[in-house]
Amino acid sequence: MLNPKSVNLGKARSPIRELFEYAKTRKKQIGEENVFDFSLGNPDVPPPEQATEALIKIISECEPVALHGYTSAQGDFSVREAVARDLNARYRADLDADCIYMTCGAAASLTITLNALVNVGDEVLCFTPYFPEYRVFSERAGAKFIAVESEEGSFQPDLNKLERALGERTKAVIINSPNNPSGVVYGEEVIKKLCALLCEFSARRGEPVYLISDEPYREIVYGGVKIPCVMNYYADSIICYSYSKSLSLPGERIGYIAVNKKAGGFAELYAAVCGAGRALGYVCAPTLFQRLVEKCAGLVSDLSAYKSNRDILCAALEEYGFSFVRPDGAFYLFVKSPEADANAFVARAKKYEILFVAGDGFGCAGYARIAYCVSREMLARSLPAFKALAEEYNLKN
Ligand code: PLP
């Protein structure tokens, strides 16, 4: 017999991927310019020029056998040193190379971290709405995944609800700010309060709850908003990062895990990360892109296009009568469905060739996610369709 959980997971395709596939077919049928595809969080700006130049230089100058060879499992020392240096410079994080484990993107960072922490029957908590793979990775690691509702209307963490959800088996809390799918950012006060709650609970229980901060959108923030570094507020913290969004390299699979040096039993914790990476067969992160990270750790793509898209989309949707929380980061807008069932809303949008995904898969019914990492031209072309959709719902009355 095959592993039934894997069979079921393979059959139940991600609604995001499904819509992405539909978009490709539909574009062939009616022409690319007539489909308004907001389904996927695929960056629409190129990597920074400096990164492309560095990549060309690395390929042309490095000795090819070494360039394409294995590195140490946790990543090359000088690469990890560069990552630690960058985090220390930007966040006073007090890390060194031996706190960093290079990964194949944030997905690998998360699944390795969860496998490092979880014993069968432990619980992993996360606020709604959440990236759907948190549940998949947590359950695969043997945990029970528990969604904790965010504050109604703002999508900020509801700490009272979190306090009630913490228990004997809570192993970790996952946070994600800027958030996919809401675009909401958690400010310093919220992070401080959340960390104080976890500190107090962990001390009372005599065993830490780990805070996993999933940060692939850390640099994608608007209007001078600051992302606090959890390591400055909570010792038992782990950052899962990826360059997929900040350097526009999602297909190259490169990221890292940063384990807080101040975590209790740091050496054991880091060893567990290495062990989980090994057991999951990751071997090492792509060597070529490790070399790139060494040269470009603090670089970010030109994010101004996302900001303009956010401003254009927010202004238009507001004018047409849609409700949403204005996103401060990432490149997603979480719009309230004008009818109770967001899947019906998504289906109705499809009639106007607008493709976006229902919030149900993100643990938040009644909303839909619009990924606005798209070309300005497509966004502009889509606005009359959004207007027609709003009119069908009579939103202005
Ligand atoms: N975490 C969040 C919140 C994401 O949105 C994504 C991808 O969209 C990931 C993790 C996975 O990122 P990566 O492509 O680097 O594995």
Short mmCIF file of all heavy atoms in Angstrom, two decimals, residues 289-333:
data_model
loop_
_atom_site.label_atom_id
_atom_site.label_comp_id
_atom_site.label_asym_id
_atom_site.label_seq_id
_atom_site.Cartn_x
_atom_site.Cartn_y
_atom_site.Cartn_z
N PHE A 289 23.95 29.43 -6.37
CA PHE A 289 23.17 30.51 -5.74
C PHE A 289 23.64 30.81 -4.32
O PHE A 289 23.45 31.92 -3.83
CB PHE A 289 21.67 30.23 -5.88
CG PHE A 289 21.26 30.52 -7.30
CD1 PHE A 289 21.35 29.55 -8.28
CD2 PHE A 289 20.90 31.79 -7.67
CE1 PHE A 289 21.06 29.84 -9.61
CE2 PHE A 289 20.61 32.10 -8.99
CZ PHE A 289 20.68 31.12 -9.96
N GLN A 290 24.29 29.86 -3.68
CA GLN A 290 24.97 30.20 -2.42
C GLN A 290 26.04 31.26 -2.70
O GLN A 290 26.17 32.24 -1.98
CB GLN A 290 25.64 28.98 -1.82
CG GLN A 290 24.69 27.98 -1.19
CD GLN A 290 25.44 27.00 -0.31
OE1 GLN A 290 26.27 27.38 0.52
NE2 GLN A 290 25.18 25.72 -0.50
N ARG A 291 26.80 31.04 -3.78
CA ARG A 291 27.87 31.99 -4.14
C ARG A 291 27.28 33.37 -4.42
O ARG A 291 27.84 34.41 -4.05
CB ARG A 291 28.64 31.52 -5.38
CG ARG A 291 29.42 30.26 -5.20
CD ARG A 291 30.90 30.57 -4.86
NE ARG A 291 31.12 30.82 -3.45
CZ ARG A 291 31.46 29.92 -2.52
NH1 ARG A 291 31.59 28.65 -2.85
NH2 ARG A 291 31.65 30.26 -1.26
N LEU A 292 26.13 33.37 -5.05
CA LEU A 292 25.47 34.65 -5.35
C LEU A 292 25.07 35.36 -4.06
O LEU A 292 25.28 36.57 -3.91
CB LEU A 292 24.24 34.42 -6.23
CG LEU A 292 23.53 35.72 -6.62
CD1 LEU A 292 24.35 36.50 -7.64
CD2 LEU A 292 22.14 35.45 -7.18
N VAL A 293 24.52 34.60 -3.13
CA VAL A 293 24.10 35.18 -1.84
C VAL A 293 25.31 35.77 -1.12
O VAL A 293 25.23 36.83 -0.50
CB VAL A 293 23.39 34.10 -0.98
CG1 VAL A 293 23.28 34.54 0.47
CG2 VAL A 293 22.00 33.81 -1.56
N GLU A 294 26.43 35.10 -1.23
CA GLU A 294 27.65 35.61 -0.58
C GLU A 294 27.95 37.03 -1.06
O GLU A 294 28.39 37.89 -0.31
CB GLU A 294 28.81 34.66 -0.92
CG GLU A 294 30.11 35.05 -0.26
CD GLU A 294 31.23 34.09 -0.63
OE1 GLU A 294 31.01 33.18 -1.47
OE2 GLU A 294 32.33 34.26 -0.08
N LYS A 295 27.68 37.26 -2.36
CA LYS A 295 28.00 38.57 -2.94
C LYS A 295 26.85 39.57 -2.77
O LYS A 295 27.07 40.77 -2.80
CB LYS A 295 28.26 38.43 -4.46
CG LYS A 295 29.35 37.45 -4.84
CD LYS A 295 30.63 38.20 -5.19
CE LYS A 295 31.78 37.30 -5.55
NZ LYS A 295 32.28 36.44 -4.47
N CYS A 296 25.62 39.07 -2.61
CA CYS A 296 24.45 39.97 -2.69
C CYS A 296 23.51 39.86 -1.50
O CYS A 296 22.32 40.21 -1.62
CB CYS A 296 23.65 39.64 -3.96
SG CYS A 296 24.59 39.79 -5.46
N ALA A 297 24.01 39.43 -0.35
CA ALA A 297 23.12 39.12 0.78
C ALA A 297 22.14 40.25 1.12
O ALA A 297 20.99 40.00 1.44
CB ALA A 297 23.93 38.73 2.00
N GLY A 298 22.58 41.51 1.06
CA GLY A 298 21.68 42.59 1.48
C GLY A 298 20.94 43.28 0.34
O GLY A 298 20.22 44.24 0.57
N LEU A 299 21.14 42.78 -0.88
CA LEU A 299 20.52 43.47 -2.03
C LEU A 299 19.03 43.15 -2.15
O LEU A 299 18.59 42.09 -1.73
CB LEU A 299 21.19 42.98 -3.32
CG LEU A 299 22.44 43.67 -3.83
CD1 LEU A 299 22.76 43.12 -5.22
CD2 LEU A 299 22.27 45.16 -3.87
N VAL A 300 18.30 44.07 -2.75
CA VAL A 300 16.87 43.85 -2.97
C VAL A 300 16.52 44.33 -4.38
O VAL A 300 17.06 45.35 -4.83
CB VAL A 300 16.04 44.64 -1.93
CG1 VAL A 300 14.56 44.42 -2.15
CG2 VAL A 300 16.41 44.25 -0.51
N SER A 301 15.61 43.62 -5.06
CA SER A 301 15.14 44.06 -6.37
C SER A 301 14.47 45.44 -6.23
O SER A 301 14.10 45.83 -5.12
CB SER A 301 14.10 43.08 -6.92
OG SER A 301 14.64 41.81 -7.08
N ASP A 302 14.26 46.10 -7.35
CA ASP A 302 13.54 47.38 -7.31
C ASP A 302 12.06 47.08 -7.03
O ASP A 302 11.36 46.52 -7.86
CB ASP A 302 13.70 48.08 -8.67
CG ASP A 302 12.92 49.38 -8.71
OD1 ASP A 302 12.32 49.76 -7.68
OD2 ASP A 302 12.90 50.02 -9.78
N LEU A 303 11.63 47.48 -5.83
CA LEU A 303 10.28 47.10 -5.40
C LEU A 303 9.24 48.17 -5.70
O LEU A 303 8.08 48.04 -5.33
CB LEU A 303 10.30 46.80 -3.89
CG LEU A 303 11.34 45.77 -3.44
CD1 LEU A 303 11.36 45.67 -1.93
CD2 LEU A 303 11.05 44.41 -4.06
N SER A 304 9.67 49.23 -6.39
CA SER A 304 8.76 50.36 -6.58
C SER A 304 7.52 49.97 -7.40
O SER A 304 6.44 50.52 -7.21
CB SER A 304 9.49 51.54 -7.23
OG SER A 304 10.06 51.12 -8.44
N ALA A 305 7.69 48.99 -8.30
CA ALA A 305 6.55 48.57 -9.13
C ALA A 305 5.45 47.98 -8.25
O ALA A 305 4.26 48.18 -8.50
CB ALA A 305 7.00 47.54 -10.16
N TYR A 306 5.84 47.23 -7.21
CA TYR A 306 4.83 46.65 -6.33
C TYR A 306 4.07 47.74 -5.58
O TYR A 306 2.87 47.65 -5.38
CB TYR A 306 5.47 45.70 -5.30
CG TYR A 306 6.20 44.51 -5.90
CD1 TYR A 306 7.39 44.06 -5.35
CD2 TYR A 306 5.69 43.84 -7.01
CE1 TYR A 306 8.07 42.98 -5.88
CE2 TYR A 306 6.37 42.76 -7.55
CZ TYR A 306 7.55 42.33 -6.98
OH TYR A 306 8.22 41.25 -7.51
N LYS A 307 4.83 48.75 -5.17
CA LYS A 307 4.17 49.84 -4.43
C LYS A 307 3.16 50.56 -5.33
O LYS A 307 2.03 50.82 -4.91
CB LYS A 307 5.20 50.83 -3.87
CG LYS A 307 4.51 51.93 -3.09
CD LYS A 307 5.46 52.87 -2.39
CE LYS A 307 4.70 53.91 -1.58
NZ LYS A 307 3.68 54.65 -2.30
N SER A 308 3.58 50.86 -6.57
CA SER A 308 2.64 51.53 -7.49
C SER A 308 1.42 50.64 -7.72
O SER A 308 0.29 51.12 -7.71
CB SER A 308 3.26 51.81 -8.84
OG SER A 308 4.53 52.29 -8.68
N ASN A 309 1.66 49.35 -7.92
CA ASN A 309 0.53 48.44 -8.14
C ASN A 309 -0.41 48.44 -6.94
O ASN A 309 -1.63 48.46 -7.08
CB ASN A 309 1.03 47.00 -8.36
CG ASN A 309 1.55 46.79 -9.77
OD1 ASN A 309 1.57 47.72 -10.57
ND2 ASN A 309 1.96 45.59 -10.08
N ARG A 310 0.19 48.41 -5.74
CA ARG A 310 -0.66 48.43 -4.54
C ARG A 310 -1.52 49.69 -4.53
O ARG A 310 -2.73 49.65 -4.30
CB ARG A 310 0.20 48.39 -3.27
CG ARG A 310 -0.67 48.44 -2.03
CD ARG A 310 0.06 48.93 -0.80
NE ARG A 310 0.51 50.30 -0.88
CZ ARG A 310 0.84 51.04 0.16
NH1 ARG A 310 0.74 50.54 1.38
NH2 ARG A 310 1.26 52.27 0.01
N ASP A 311 -0.88 50.83 -4.82
CA ASP A 311 -1.61 52.11 -4.75
C ASP A 311 -2.73 52.15 -5.79
O ASP A 311 -3.85 52.56 -5.50
CB ASP A 311 -0.64 53.28 -4.94
CG ASP A 311 0.33 53.39 -3.77
OD1 ASP A 311 0.06 52.77 -2.72
OD2 ASP A 311 1.36 54.08 -3.91
N ILE A 312 -2.40 51.70 -7.00
CA ILE A 312 -3.41 51.73 -8.09
C ILE A 312 -4.57 50.79 -7.75
O ILE A 312 -5.75 51.16 -7.84
CB ILE A 312 -2.76 51.31 -9.44
CG1 ILE A 312 -1.76 52.39 -9.88
CG2 ILE A 312 -3.81 51.05 -10.50
CD1 ILE A 312 -0.83 51.95 -11.02
N LEU A 313 -4.23 49.58 -7.31
CA LEU A 313 -5.28 48.59 -7.03
C LEU A 313 -6.15 49.02 -5.84
O LEU A 313 -7.38 48.93 -5.89
CB LEU A 313 -4.62 47.23 -6.74
CG LEU A 313 -5.56 46.04 -6.62
CD1 LEU A 313 -6.32 45.77 -7.91
CD2 LEU A 313 -4.77 44.77 -6.23
N CYS A 314 -5.50 49.51 -4.77
CA CYS A 314 -6.26 49.93 -3.59
C CYS A 314 -7.22 51.06 -3.96
O CYS A 314 -8.40 51.04 -3.58
CB CYS A 314 -5.33 50.41 -2.47
SG CYS A 314 -4.48 49.07 -1.64
N ALA A 315 -6.72 52.05 -4.71
CA ALA A 315 -7.56 53.20 -5.08
C ALA A 315 -8.76 52.73 -5.91
O ALA A 315 -9.91 53.13 -5.66
CB ALA A 315 -6.73 54.22 -5.85
N ALA A 316 -8.49 51.84 -6.87
CA ALA A 316 -9.57 51.40 -7.75
C ALA A 316 -10.59 50.56 -6.99
O ALA A 316 -11.80 50.81 -7.07
CB ALA A 316 -8.99 50.59 -8.92
N LEU A 317 -10.12 49.59 -6.20
CA LEU A 317 -11.06 48.71 -5.50
C LEU A 317 -11.90 49.49 -4.49
O LEU A 317 -13.09 49.21 -4.30
CB LEU A 317 -10.32 47.57 -4.80
CG LEU A 317 -9.61 46.55 -5.70
CD1 LEU A 317 -9.14 45.35 -4.89
CD2 LEU A 317 -10.48 46.08 -6.85
N GLU A 318 -11.26 50.47 -3.87
CA GLU A 318 -11.99 51.31 -2.92
C GLU A 318 -13.10 52.09 -3.65
O GLU A 318 -14.24 52.13 -3.21
CB GLU A 318 -11.01 52.29 -2.28
CG GLU A 318 -11.50 52.84 -0.97
CD GLU A 318 -10.34 53.42 -0.15
OE1 GLU A 318 -9.27 53.75 -0.72
OE2 GLU A 318 -10.53 53.54 1.05
N GLU A 319 -12.71 52.66 -4.79
CA GLU A 319 -13.68 53.43 -5.58
C GLU A 319 -14.86 52.55 -6.03
O GLU A 319 -16.01 52.99 -6.02
CB GLU A 319 -12.96 54.02 -6.81
CG GLU A 319 -13.85 54.92 -7.65
CD GLU A 319 -13.21 55.20 -9.02
OE1 GLU A 319 -11.96 55.31 -9.09
OE2 GLU A 319 -13.97 55.29 -10.00
N TYR A 320 -14.56 51.28 -6.37
CA TYR A 320 -15.63 50.41 -6.86
C TYR A 320 -16.49 49.86 -5.71
O TYR A 320 -17.51 49.23 -5.94
CB TYR A 320 -15.06 49.22 -7.66
CG TYR A 320 -14.15 49.61 -8.80
CD1 TYR A 320 -13.15 48.75 -9.23
CD2 TYR A 320 -14.26 50.85 -9.43
CE1 TYR A 320 -12.29 49.11 -10.26
CE2 TYR A 320 -13.39 51.21 -10.46
CZ TYR A 320 -12.41 50.34 -10.87
OH TYR A 320 -11.55 50.69 -11.87
N GLY A 321 -16.02 50.04 -4.47
CA GLY A 321 -16.85 49.62 -3.33
C GLY A 321 -16.43 48.33 -2.65
O GLY A 321 -17.14 47.82 -1.78
N PHE A 322 -15.25 47.78 -3.01
CA PHE A 322 -14.76 46.57 -2.33
C PHE A 322 -14.19 46.93 -0.96
O PHE A 322 -13.72 48.05 -0.75
CB PHE A 322 -13.67 45.89 -3.16
CG PHE A 322 -14.16 45.21 -4.40
CD1 PHE A 322 -14.00 45.79 -5.66
CD2 PHE A 322 -14.80 43.97 -4.32
CE1 PHE A 322 -14.45 45.16 -6.81
CE2 PHE A 322 -15.25 43.34 -5.47
CZ PHE A 322 -15.08 43.92 -6.72
N SER A 323 -14.22 45.97 -0.02
CA SER A 323 -13.62 46.17 1.31
C SER A 323 -12.36 45.32 1.45
O SER A 323 -12.34 44.16 1.01
CB SER A 323 -14.59 45.71 2.41
OG SER A 323 -15.79 46.38 2.30
N PHE A 324 -11.36 45.90 2.11
CA PHE A 324 -10.10 45.17 2.34
C PHE A 324 -9.28 45.94 3.36
O PHE A 324 -9.55 47.11 3.62
CB PHE A 324 -9.30 45.04 1.02
CG PHE A 324 -9.07 46.37 0.34
CD1 PHE A 324 -7.95 47.13 0.64
CD2 PHE A 324 -9.99 46.87 -0.59
CE1 PHE A 324 -7.73 48.35 0.02
CE2 PHE A 324 -9.78 48.10 -1.20
CZ PHE A 324 -8.65 48.85 -0.90
N VAL A 325 -8.28 45.26 3.94
CA VAL A 325 -7.32 45.95 4.80
C VAL A 325 -6.17 46.39 3.90
O VAL A 325 -5.58 45.55 3.20
CB VAL A 325 -6.77 45.02 5.91
CG1 VAL A 325 -5.77 45.75 6.79
CG2 VAL A 325 -7.90 44.46 6.74
N ARG A 326 -5.86 47.69 3.92
CA ARG A 326 -4.80 48.18 3.04
C ARG A 326 -3.47 47.50 3.39
O ARG A 326 -3.01 47.59 4.54
CB ARG A 326 -4.67 49.70 3.23
CG ARG A 326 -3.78 50.37 2.21
CD ARG A 326 -3.77 51.88 2.45
NE ARG A 326 -2.75 52.52 1.66
CZ ARG A 326 -2.91 52.87 0.39
NH1 ARG A 326 -4.05 52.65 -0.22
NH2 ARG A 326 -1.93 53.45 -0.27
N PRO A 327 -2.87 46.80 2.42
CA PRO A 327 -1.63 46.07 2.75
C PRO A 327 -0.42 47.00 2.90
O PRO A 327 -0.26 47.92 2.12
CB PRO A 327 -1.43 45.14 1.54
CG PRO A 327 -2.24 45.72 0.43
CD PRO A 327 -3.31 46.58 1.02
N ASP A 328 0.38 46.73 3.93
CA ASP A 328 1.62 47.49 4.14
C ASP A 328 2.84 46.76 3.62
O ASP A 328 3.96 47.27 3.69
CB ASP A 328 1.84 47.74 5.65
CG ASP A 328 1.01 48.90 6.14
OD1 ASP A 328 0.81 49.85 5.38
OD2 ASP A 328 0.56 48.85 7.31
N GLY A 329 2.66 45.53 3.16
CA GLY A 329 3.81 44.77 2.69
C GLY A 329 3.40 43.58 1.85
O GLY A 329 2.22 43.34 1.62
N ALA A 330 4.40 42.82 1.41
CA ALA A 330 4.25 41.70 0.47
C ALA A 330 3.57 42.24 -0.80
O ALA A 330 3.52 43.46 -1.01
CB ALA A 330 3.48 40.54 1.08
N PHE A 331 3.06 41.35 -1.65
CA PHE A 331 2.37 41.88 -2.85
C PHE A 331 1.01 41.22 -3.02
O PHE A 331 0.65 40.76 -4.09
CB PHE A 331 3.22 41.78 -4.11
CG PHE A 331 4.14 40.58 -4.19
CD1 PHE A 331 3.63 39.29 -4.09
CD2 PHE A 331 5.50 40.75 -4.41
CE1 PHE A 331 4.47 38.19 -4.18
CE2 PHE A 331 6.36 39.65 -4.50
CZ PHE A 331 5.83 38.38 -4.39
N TYR A 332 0.30 41.17 -1.88
CA TYR A 332 -1.03 40.56 -1.88
C TYR A 332 -2.04 41.52 -1.26
O TYR A 332 -1.71 42.27 -0.35
CB TYR A 332 -1.03 39.28 -1.04
CG TYR A 332 0.01 38.29 -1.46
CD1 TYR A 332 1.14 38.06 -0.68
CD2 TYR A 332 -0.12 37.57 -2.65
CE1 TYR A 332 2.11 37.16 -1.06
CE2 TYR A 332 0.84 36.65 -3.04
CZ TYR A 332 1.96 36.45 -2.24
OH TYR A 332 2.92 35.55 -2.63
N LEU A 333 -3.25 41.44 -1.78
CA LEU A 333 -4.35 42.20 -1.20
C LEU A 333 -5.46 41.19 -0.90
O LEU A 333 -5.81 40.37 -1.75
CB LEU A 333 -4.82 43.26 -2.19
CG LEU A 333 -5.90 44.22 -1.69
CD1 LEU A 333 -5.67 45.62 -2.27
CD2 LEU A 333 -7.29 43.73 -2.07
#
